Amino acid sequence: MIVLSSLQILPLHVVEAIAHYYIGTHRSSYSSESAKSKQQRNAWLVLYDISYSWRTLALGYFCNGITLTVTTKIEKGGFTFSRLPRSIKKKNNELYNYVKNININICDVIDKPSEEKLLAFYAAWPENVVFPSARSLSIGLIGTIRQPDAEVNIAENEMLIWIAQRIPTSIPMLQQAGINASIFSTYMLKSTALHYIELKEDRIFSSIFGKVKNLKFNGVPIHIGSNGIFMQFFSGFASLYFNCSVNIDLFHCVVQRSAHMLESLDIVNLPCKNLRKLFYDDNDQPITYPKLRKLDYHLVSFVKAEDMLSLDESIVPFPALTHLNWPTTYTFADDTLFRGNSDALEYLNVVFDTNLIDILERYSVFSGGKYSKLRHITASKSYSIHTAQMSFESFARFAISLISPATRSFKMIDHSPCQPLFDTISTNAFAENIQILNLGATKLVLLDMLDLIKLLPNITDFTCLPGGIGSDLGKKRGKSMLDLHADYYPLSHRLKCWVIPYTNSIPVRSIALASISLAILCTNFTFTALPHSKRKVYHSELTKALAIEEYSKYAEKIQLLFYRE
């Protein structure tokens, strides 16, 4: 009782720190998303009943997100909380105070709503409702085009207008808004037909986008209009997500207007030929992004040589960039993305081909100890038919050469033999600082795994697939577990986890035997991350190992490998 009373009088910021630590220790980082969610919810329920301050924190979690789905039938009070347990009974107007994220899904958005549906919708939106803590709004538009040449103006949808009119008063602290569209058709529809859907109503733009600094457009075709209505309602955005399957003109318009204040830019499906307007305005003047820290570019199709972009050498577009995620073919004929940010870049994810390596070497991008702050590296080998193929040795040599004194996480995606990996890692003096090594689907036999771990004294998490372990438990190339222990123990004091990216066609027996070897040879190894469907068989293989005399003295270590759920 004394302990409980002490907990109840703690300052709120201390309570919050304890709560988040408690939640973190009661869920597994490698569980499925549904399992994590359940673990979190149960942990918050325990904290909910301690005191008023704990209850306030728990309600902040349970009431974080709220959703209103507008269909042909809507019950009164249509908002639903995505996490709220049934055991917590409170009036909605009290719970609304804790809401941070609001999701509104409008179904059949293309069809003119019936009077009955409108009345149901108006009743579902509580009168004078206010979400004082809400910062984020997401609107989902779902509809079906039934006529091949139909011209549809979503702005005419009365429910969307209703929402737009109420946003300033219902969500007074709105900072981030997004519109997502799922528009289907009952006939063969060309992508260009989506341009018939227009959203140019000034009431909607001014209400939804007038104040926000973070904007997300995902597949929503929006017509700007010759009078530039859209441009009247914002001076720029700090964060932009754009799916450019449609809206390329709108994308260029918004990005250029926001360049001076953009901090995060996520671009999806913008063709290479349209990239130039990211760097030059309509008057052919160069554009720079002085505050941009995070740049993501995703393009499904391969890049052809004739589409490569080359910029004037004096242009330094991203001087403050710390996060570069470009998991597609490099789309430039020069060092555009790497100019002026060698002292800032911390995260790099690129696809290497002969063209990019040639550019990086020609411009001496990584030479002379540049990019000394690079903490996270993901390197993928290109298989594009439009560039000359390179050997795994060349790829591995260059990728590993990027490792800097600050590098803590290194991921290399390829399916090739591992010997070049050993040769290059052993010659890089900074490799010993790596804590997380991810080799994707590369297969390593047990001794190769052990030899690689031996080269990396600070490694804590390791990802690869197991190769052959041998027919006899604990034996590999004639070595018994006793021999391995004599040769390798202690292999690592830091390795805790082995992550297996997938288990299709991989015998669970091989996984269990390799896990046992790691547990015996590494003083702190306790976990092999496996999908839930494989854990029963995994436990069976571990149990078989415990029955073998050679392993009986390691029973305590093997017991730690069992999942506890």
Side-chain angles (χ1 to χ4, degrees):
M1 182 64 70
I2 295 175
V3 173
L4 185 57
S5 300
S6 300
L7 287 172
Q8 291 172 343
I9 61 174
L10 286 173
L12 185 59
H13 70 280
V14 176
V15 171
E16 186 171 11
I18 294 173
H20 286 290
Y21 176 78
Y22 174 76
I23 299 300
T25 58
H26 280 75
R27 70 171 191 159
S28 168
S29 300
Y30 301 97
S31 299
S32 65
E33 289 305 314
S34 59
K36 288 181 187 178
S37 178
K38 185 176 180 180
Q39 292 163 1
Q40 272 194 314
R41 198 172 84 149
N42 291 341
W44 279 116
L45 275 173
V46 171
L47 300 178
Y48 178 77
D49 291 321
I50 293 180
S51 69
Y52 176 80
S53 57
W54 293 88
R55 189 174 300 116
T56 298
L57 281 177
L59 284 175
Y61 170 77
F62 290 131
C63 303
N64 180 275
I66 195 169
T67 299
L68 172 62
T69 300
V70 182
T71 60
T72 51
K73 293 183 179 180
I74 314 169
E75 296 182 4
K76 188 174 182 179
F79 281 108
T80 58
F81 290 92
S82 54
R83 297 174 176 171
L84 191 65
R86 293 180 180 179
S87 57
I88 297 179
K89 304 291 184 183
K90 283 184 175 289
K91 293 181 179 179
N92 275 350
N93 57 359
E94 179 182 353
L95 298 180
Y96 291 157
N97 294 333
Y98 298 96
V99 173
K100 298 289 193 303
N101 306 295
I102 300 173
N103 303 298
I104 301 174
N105 301 314
I106 303 178
C107 300
D108 306 312
V109 69
I110 291 176
D111 302 325
K112 184 174 177 60
S114 64
E115 189 68 24
E116 180 184 9
K117 184 177 180 181
L118 281 175
L119 290 174
F121 171 66
Y122 300 150
W125 191 286
E127 187 176 0
N128 300 322
V129 64
V130 177
F131 302 98
S133 301
R135 300 292 187 272
S136 172
L137 170 67
S138 177
I139 298 177
L141 307 176
I142 305 168
T144 303
I145 301 174
R146 296 181 175 84
Q147 299 297 326
D149 298 318
E151 291 195 21
V152 182
N153 187 352
I154 292 179
E156 294 174 355
N157 187 287
E158 295 179 54
M159 290 177 291
L160 192 56
I161 294 174
W162 168 277
I163 293 168
Q165 290 171 340
R166 278 151 186 79
I167 283 174
T169 54
S170 294
I171 319 175
M173 303 302 290
L174 183 65
Q175 295 179 357
Q176 177 173 326
I179 293 187
N180 303 279
S182 297
I183 307 298
F184 307 97
S185 66
T186 55
Y187 60 92
M188 294 300 291
L189 176 67
K190 295 181 180 179
S191 60
T192 53
L194 287 177
H195 287 289
Y196 287 124
I197 302 170
E198 298 183 354
L199 182 57
K200 54 186 179 182
E201 173 67 54
D202 61 346
R203 287 173 293 179
I204 294 173
F205 278 122
S206 60
S207 296
I208 298 179
F209 307 120
K211 295 169 58 178
V212 302
K213 294 301 179 188
N214 305 290
L215 179 66
K216 179 175 181 179
F217 276 114
N218 189 16
V220 186
I222 295 180
H223 178 71
I224 302 174
S226 58
N227 57 356
I229 283 177
F230 187 84
M231 302 300 291
Q232 299 174 17
F233 301 112
F234 72 95
S235 59
F237 295 102
S239 172
L240 279 173
Y241 171 95
F242 248 95
N243 186 333
C244 299
S245 300
V246 290
N247 297 330
I248 290 178
D249 290 339
L250 176 64
F251 166 75
H252 289 142
C253 170
V254 175
V255 170
Q256 291 184 14
R257 184 70 171 268
S258 305
H260 67 289
M261 61 184 297
L262 262 179
E263 297 175 10
S264 174
L265 178 59
D266 195 340
I267 311 168
V268 179
N269 292 329
L270 179 69
C272 271
K273 61 184 180 181
N274 298 106
L275 268 176
R276 194 177 190 279
K277 286 191 175 181
L278 196 64
F279 303 98
Y280 293 95
D281 63 19
D282 294 338
N283 297 318
D284 214 32
Q285 294 299 307
I287 302 171
T288 58
Y289 300 80
K291 296 183 179 181
L292 192 72
R293 296 173 57 81
K294 183 176 182 288
L295 176 62
D296 292 82
Y297 178 76
H298 304 268
L299 183 66
V300 176
S301 60
F302 288 121
V303 179
K304 297 180 180 179
E306 57 265 29
D307 292 331
M308 295 287 185
L309 183 65
S310 184
L311 271 64
D312 187 282
E313 291 184 4
S314 63
I315 299 176
V316 181
F318 309 117
L321 202 63
T322 61
H323 175 112
L324 176 58
N325 185 32
W326 203 275
T328 186
T329 305
Y330 189 71
T331 51
F332 302 89
D334 54 29
D335 62 340
T336 293
L337 295 183
F338 299 94
R339 294 176 185 173
N341 49 43
S342 61
D343 293 331
L345 199 66
E346 298 177 3
Y347 177 97
L348 177 66
N349 179 10
V350 292
V351 175
F352 287 94
D353 56 19
T354 52
N355 174 63
L356 176 57
I357 291 180
D358 176 67
I359 289 171
L360 296 176
E361 291 180 340
R362 183 167 12 113
Y363 288 89
S364 303
V365 172
F366 288 96
S367 64
K370 298 175 186 175
Y371 292 92
S372 59
K373 295 182 179 179
L374 203 55
R375 293 180 58 83
H376 308 282
I377 300 171
T378 297
S380 308
K381 182 171 175 283
S382 173
Y383 291 93
S384 170
I385 60 175
H386 300 291
T387 58
Q389 293 300 306
M390 62 178 167
S391 66
F392 176 76
E393 288 81 357
S394 299
F395 165 62
R397 189 183 308 112
F398 193 88
I400 291 172
S401 73
L402 303 181
I403 297 174
S404 77
T407 304
R408 297 296 180 268
S409 172
F410 183 77
K411 181 177 182 179
M412 190 163 66
I413 303 173
D414 195 80
H415 303 268
S416 300
C418 61
Q419 191 55 49
L421 188 66
F422 289 102
D423 296 340
T424 48
I425 281 185
S426 62
T427 59
N428 190 308
F430 304 129
E432 64 178 25
N433 296 325
I434 292 175
Q435 297 173 357
I436 300 173
L437 178 64
N438 186 338
L439 299 182
T442 298
K443 283 188 176 182
L444 298 180
V445 296
L446 179 59
L447 286 186
D448 287 340
M449 287 176 63
L450 302 183
D451 289 338
L452 187 55
I453 293 168
K454 194 173 184 178
L455 292 173
L456 307 170
N458 290 296
I459 190 171
T460 60
D461 293 66
F462 183 35
T463 300
C464 74
L465 290 178
I469 301 296
S471 57
D472 296 326
L473 182 63
K475 293 185 178 181
K476 183 70 187 79
R477 298 176 188 166
K479 287 182 177 286
S480 67
M481 191 64 243
L482 189 63
D483 295 328
L484 290 176
H485 195 276
D487 291 345
Y488 288 98
Y489 186 85
L491 177 63
S492 172
H493 294 292
R494 294 180 178 268
L495 184 67
K496 297 178 181 179
C497 175
W498 176 29
V499 181
I500 301 173
Y502 64 84
T503 56
N504 296 342
S505 75
I506 304 295
V508 178
R509 173 181 172 80
S510 297
I511 296 171
L513 300 184
S515 299
I516 290 170
S517 298
L518 291 174
I520 292 171
L521 300 175
C522 303
T523 56
N524 286 301
F525 183 86
T526 58
F527 191 76
T528 297
L530 285 171
H532 193 275
S533 60
K534 299 291 184 180
R535 293 177 188 177
K536 186 176 180 180
V537 182
Y538 176 68
H539 285 179
S540 175
E541 294 294 343
L542 293 178
T543 302
K544 291 177 184 177
L546 287 170
I548 296 176
E549 183 178 355
E550 185 179 3
Y551 287 86
S552 59
K553 63 180 179 180
Y554 302 113
E556 187 176 345
K557 294 286 292 182
I558 296 173
Q559 288 287 353
L560 294 175
L561 296 175
F562 284 84
Y563 280 83
R564 290 161 179 80
E565 296 178 329

